[in-house]
Amino acid sequence: MRRLSRRELLRAITRLTGVEVETELPGFDVRTLAEGAPKTFFFDTGFAWQATSLDSLVTADELARAVAARVTSSPQRLERVLGCAPSAGREAACLGAFLDRAGRLSLRRPLEPEERERLLSTALAWARPQAGAPPGEVAGPFPAAHFLVRVLLQHPEFLSLVEDGAPSPHDPTVLVLSDTAVATRLALLLWGELPDDALLDAAVSGTLHTPAQVRHHAERMLSDPRARTQVFAFHAQWLGFSRLDEVVTADLARSMRAETRALIDDVVFDRDAPWVELLTSQRTWLDTRLAGIYGLPAPATGPGWVTYPSPDRGGLLSHGSVLATSGPGSATSRGLFVRERLLCQPLHTPADVSVDVDAVNDPALGECRSERLRAHVDNPGCASCHQLIDPIGFGLLRYNGQGAVQSTEADKPNCPLPREGSVTLGSGTTPFAGPGPLGRLLAGAPEVTDCLARQFFRFRAGKAETSDVDERHVQAFVQALRQSGGRLRPALLDTVSSPAFLTRRIAAKETP
Amino acid sequence: MKPLARRTFLRGGLGAALALPWLEAMRPSTARAQPAAPARFVLAFGGLSTHTRSPAGLVLPPPGAASFCDTLGLRPIHRLGLTADAALVSGLLIPWASPEFAGLPARRVNDFHGSMMQPLLAGVSSTNTDGFSISGRTADSVMAQRLSPGVAPLAYRVQYDFYKGSISNASISFDGPGQRRVPRFSPSRAYQDFTSALSASEDERRRRALEVARGRSVLDAVKDGAGRLERRLGAADRQRIDAYFTSLRQFEQRLAQPLSGTCGPLAGFPTDDAALATVVEGIDVRTGARCAHPDADGESGDENDLCRRVGYSFETERGNLFVDLLALAFQCDLHRSASLMLTYPQSFLSASQIFGVDEPDNRWRTNALRAKDTHELGHSPGDAAMMAYLYAWHVGFVARLAQQLKGMTEAGVPLLDRTAIVLVTEGGFGRDPTGGSATPHSTENMVAVVLGGKALGLRLGQHLVAPQREHPGQVLLAAMRAAASDRSLNLGELRAHFTPLL
C-alpha cells in the first residue's frame, strides 16, 4: 500500500474538485505527503520509504481545508463542483449525488450504504446554522460540501493505493487483485491519475479481471494524451530532467522540455518506433531559443523538427534537458549519470570509501580541471571507480549545461576541454566523441535495454527489485521489448495485460 | 467554568496570577482535559553578518574558554546567567547557485543582500534577491500551525523603517509564497492587540469552539474510513494502517490539547494606558525628537545630521518593549509561535546610536562613525569588534526574552524550558560568489544562537561547530522539531535537522 505521489495527488484533487492546487493554492508544500525515497531511487512512486507521520496528516488536513474553502468560495463554483444546484429542499439530493460520484472516484469503489448514510447525515448536520460560524458563512450546502470535500481528501483510501483482493486458488502466496484495485493500478501506471468512469464502471461491474479485459482498456488509455504525459514523466524522473526548473530559467526549461517531449512522443507513440531511437535520433524539435544555443539553424516557421548537420549530436543525450541536469562541467558527474541511470550500475560514493575527495581540487595539480582530474587516475583509491566514469564524461564535456558546444573551460581559454572519451560496456571499451556517438553505442548495448526494464519496474512497483519474483518481472519486460522489436508501447500493453499484472505477491508475514 | 473577562482582570491589576489561561477558558468545559504544558517557538532575525573569522573572543569563544558565552557578541547571555540555557552553533553555510553546491536544498542566488532570507527562514531555494518577498512558509508560520492551529503567529519588527528607500511592510513571517504577515512595529499598537485579545468577544469563543468541533467531526469520519479499510487489508498492510492510526491519535490529541498556561504580570511593564503612552509613544520619533527619520533620498544637505544617511527610532527601547510583550503573550498563551525581526537585512540603522557615540569616553567615538550605518560597518574587516558589539545588541533582545520566560512557570516548569528561541542572521564571513574570499557578504561560517527548550530535548550549554557545514535552517528545524515533538516535520526543502542539537 503506497501513498499517492505528489503528482498523482494534485491531479486527483483537480479531477475531484476542479481546484488547481499549484496555481490556486501556491503556498502549499504537499511534498511531504509522498516522498522519502533515497537518491538512488529516481521515482516519486517509491513506497518502501514512506512512513505515515503526524506531519503528513497535518499537511493533508491543511490541504483539504484549503481546497474545501476554494470549492465553497462562491455559489457558482460550488454548483460546478457538486454538479447540481443545492437549492433549498434539494440539498440532500444534490449532496447525495455528489457524494456518490466523488466518493466512487476518490475511493475507487462505491460507498457502502451505511458509510454513505453516515457521511451524508454529518454533512447535513453541518448545513444547519451554527453558533460561531465565521462571518459570511452561509448555512446550508456550503459547510456541508466543505465537510464532504475535507473528509474525502483526507481519507486513507484516497491518499493511498490500496491493493486488496483474494488469495489465488492455485497459489496461497499470490493475491488476485480485486477489479477496483486493477483499475487503480492501471490508471496510476498509464496515466498517473485516478481511473476514469469507463474504467471504474468496468471494475464495479466485474469486467476488469482478465488479461483481455485489461488489454481492451489499456489500448484505449494508451491512445489518450495522458499516457504521453505519463511516459514523459517516467523518462523525466529516470533521467533526472524532472528537476530542470532548478537549474535553468523557466523559459529555457520550457523549450528544453518541449524538445524532449516531442522526441519521446514521436518515437514511442507517433511512429511506435524502437525505444533505442531515443538515443540515436538524428533529428530534434527546436524553437528559436534552443536552436540559437545549440548553434543550429532554427526552423523557418516556429518550433519544428531539425536534422542535426553532424553525427556528433544525436538522441536524448544531446538534449539541453539531459545535459543541464546530468552534471554539466564535471566529467565525473556526467559519467556517473550514464553509469547509474542508463546502465543501472550504481557505484560507491566517496562517502563509502576512504579517499580524499578534495584531492582533485588541489591547485598544485594544475590550473585546468582536466589536469587535476589526473588525481582520479593516479590515486588508487579513486581510480577503481573513476576509471569507469570519468572517461565517459570526457567525451561529453564539450557540451555545457545548456547544450551549447564549448572548446575550453568557462573563463579559462587556456584550458581546452577534451573532445574524446570512452565507454566500457560488456562488449569492451570503445572511444567516442560527443553525445551522438555515445548514444549509438549505448543503443546497441543490452545493458541499456535491461536498465530500461529495471527502471520501469521500479517506477511501476514503487520499489527496487529485491527478490527473484521482482527479477522475473524485469526479465518479462525485457522479453516483451524483444518481442515487440524494441518498441515501448506494445511492451507496455503486453505487460499490463499479463496475468502477473493482475496479482501481487503476499508478503511472508501477510495473511489476507 | 464561565469564560473569563480578561479586561476585568487586566484593569484589576496584573499583580495576581490568572488561574486559567485565555484560550483554555474559552473552550467548552467538556473539552478540557489534563493540561499538558505546550511548547513555544520564536524565530528571531538580525540583518547583519557575524565576523566569525575575527579574533576569538569577539563572537566565537577562544579555545578552552570557561564559558562559551563570555565573548563580546554573546555577553548578554553570559551576564544574565543563561549560558546553560543557550547553545551557539557556528560554521553554518547557506549554499549558493554553483555547481559546487548542486543538488543541495535551500540554496540562494549569488547576489548577497536579501538572497538568503528565503532559504534561511523558509528553507526554500531563492531565485532573486528580494528578501522582502519570501516564496515559502516561514518557520514561525509552520510552528503556529503546529502548536496552535487557527492562531496566527505573533509578528513583531523592531527596526522601525528601512531608512534608505521606500520598503514598506517588511516581514520575516510568511504563510506561503507572497503571503506576508505584516508585523507590528509600533509597540503601542502591539499593546492594543494584546489587551483586545485578552478581552476577546463571545463570538470569537464560539468561533473557536465550532472550529474545534468541526475538526473533530472530520477526524471521526476519517477514522471511520480507516477502520473500514483495516478490515479489508492483509497483515503487512495492517502494519501500515496501524502506523496511520498512531498518527491519527497524535492528531486527535493535538486537537484536544487544551491551550494552557498562567497569565501573570511582567515587572515594570506599563499597564496603565497613560503610562504606556508616555513610554511607548514617546519613542515614536518620526516627527522629531533626537533623531528624525532621514530623507528618502539620503541627501538632507546637513553634514552634521546623524540621520543624514542612516536612521534610528529608539530601536533599543522598542526592542525591549516588544520582547516584554512577547513574553507576556506566551505566558498568557495568546500565541505559541512568534517572529521577532530585529533589523532589516542590509540594515541602515544608525551605528552611532547603537554604539552611543556621543557618550563620553566611548571607545568608538569617532567622527567616521557618526555618519555610518550598521551595514557599512560590516564592510571593513577592521570593524570586527564593532560588528561583534552590534551582534551583542541583537543577542541582548533574545537574552532578555529568555530571562523573562525563565522567570515564568507553567505546570511547574519554567516557560523557557518549553520555549525554543533561535536567532539567525543575514550572513557570516567567507567567500562571496560574486567576488572575494574573505568578506561579510557571504553565507559561509554563519552562526545561530539557540536559547531555551531544555525540556523539549535540545542539547544546550555548548558551542557546536557544524561538522558538515550544515545549513542554518537545519538549526531552526532542530528547534522546530523539538517544539513540535515530531521528527518528521520539515522546513521547505530542508528534510534533516542539525543533529548535535537534538
Side-chain angles (χ1 to χ4, degrees), chain A residues 35 55 62 114 157, chain B residues 137 146 214 228 232 495:
Chain A
E35 68 168 25
D55 198 42
E62 270 202 304
E114 189 261 337
E157 283 184 75
Chain B
R137 189 170 196 173
R146 184 53 76 88
R214 284 181 167 177
R228 290 171 192 277
R232 289 166 42 208
R495 300 290 187 263

Side-chain angles (χ1 to χ4, degrees), chain B residues 412-435:
Chain B
V413 177
L415 202 46
L416 180 62
D417 290 354
R418 294 197 58 80
T419 302
I421 306 166
V422 185
L423 170 64
V424 288
T425 62
E426 186 180 4
F429 198 81
R431 287 179 296 163
D432 176 356
T434 60

Side-chain angles (χ1 to χ4, degrees), chain A residues 7 11-12 14-15 105 186-199 217-218 220-234 261 265 269 459 492:
Chain A
R7 197 168 44 94
R11 284 186 193 166
T14 305
R15 272 280 298 284
L105 176 60
L186 190 62
L188 290 180
L189 177 64
L190 296 186
W191 284 351
E193 55 179 71
L194 302 183
D196 64 356
D197 280 336
L199 204 53
H217 282 279
R220 173 180 69 85
M221 295 170 77
L222 282 171
S223 300
D224 188 287
R226 285 172 284 190
R228 293 176 179 234
T229 301
Q230 179 73 340
V231 168
F232 177 78
F234 161 67
R261 170 75 185 250
D265 281 355
F269 292 99
F459 179 67
L492 282 174

Side-chain angles (χ1 to χ4, degrees), chain A residues 161-408:
Chain A
L161 168 58
V162 177
E163 297 200 317
D164 59 353
S168 164
H170 312 296
D171 183 350
T173 66
V174 167
L175 196 74
V176 179
L177 297 180
S178 67
D179 288 27
T180 51
V182 170
T184 306
R185 184 185 262 203
L186 190 62
L188 290 180
L189 177 64
L190 296 186
W191 284 351
E193 55 179 71
L194 302 183
D196 64 356
D197 280 336
L199 204 53
L200 280 174
D201 286 344
V204 171
S205 64
T207 55
L208 196 64
H209 58 270
T210 69
Q213 289 166 339
V214 173
R215 190 178 187 94
H216 166 74
H217 282 279
E219 282 175 342
R220 173 180 69 85
M221 295 170 77
L222 282 171
S223 300
D224 188 287
R226 285 172 284 190
R228 293 176 179 234
T229 301
Q230 179 73 340
V231 168
F232 177 78
F234 161 67
H235 285 91
Q237 292 181 36
W238 171 21
L239 300 179
F241 55 85
S242 54
R243 52 183 195 87
L244 197 52
D245 286 305
E246 297 172 21
V247 291
V248 297
T249 63
D251 285 345
L252 186 53
R254 204 172 300 120
S255 296
M256 289 176 168
R257 264 193 296 271
E259 178 192 26
T260 304
R261 170 75 185 250
L263 182 62
I264 293 172
D265 281 355
D266 178 58
V267 170
V268 178
F269 292 99
D270 296 338
R271 291 193 295 114
D272 198 6
W275 178 86
V276 290
E277 284 196 23
L278 288 180
L279 299 173
T280 62
S281 174
Q282 277 305 110
R283 60 183 202 138
T284 196
W285 178 272
L286 296 181
D287 59 13
T288 320
R289 181 186 295 114
L290 220 44
I293 291 171
Y294 291 176
L296 297 175
T301 54
W305 291 104
V306 169
T307 300
Y308 292 124
S310 138
D312 285 354
R313 285 188 187 268
L316 286 177
L317 296 179
S318 304
H319 284 203
S321 59
V322 172
L323 290 166
T325 51
S326 59
S330 165
T332 302
S333 298
R334 283 264 168 85
L336 206 55
F337 163 78
V338 171
R339 204 45 88 183
E340 291 191 332
R341 295 211 182 226
L342 276 167
L343 296 170
C344 292
Q345 295 168 353
L347 299 171
H348 289 294
T349 61
D352 300 325
V353 292
S354 297
V355 293
D356 180 3
V357 294
D358 287 330
V360 75
N361 293 320
D362 184 353
L365 292 173
E367 183 194 355
C368 303
R369 188 165 175 80
S370 54
E371 293 173 325
R372 298 200 302 274
L373 277 177
R374 282 202 312 265
H376 285 167
V377 180
D378 296 341
N379 184 329
C382 302
S384 57
C385 286
H386 281 278
Q387 65 185 358
L388 292 172
I389 49 181
D390 289 3
I392 304 175
F394 286 139
L396 298 172
L397 263 188
R398 290 194 166 203
Y399 292 78
N400 73 11
Q402 296 193 332
V405 179
Q406 58 188 28
S407 55
T408 61

Side-chain angles (χ1 to χ4, degrees), chain A residues 128-134, chain B residues 203 206-207 209-211:
Chain A
R128 288 192 282 275
Q130 303 281 330
Chain B
D203 285 348
R206 286 180 176 153
R207 187 192 69 76
L210 178 63
E211 194 176 292

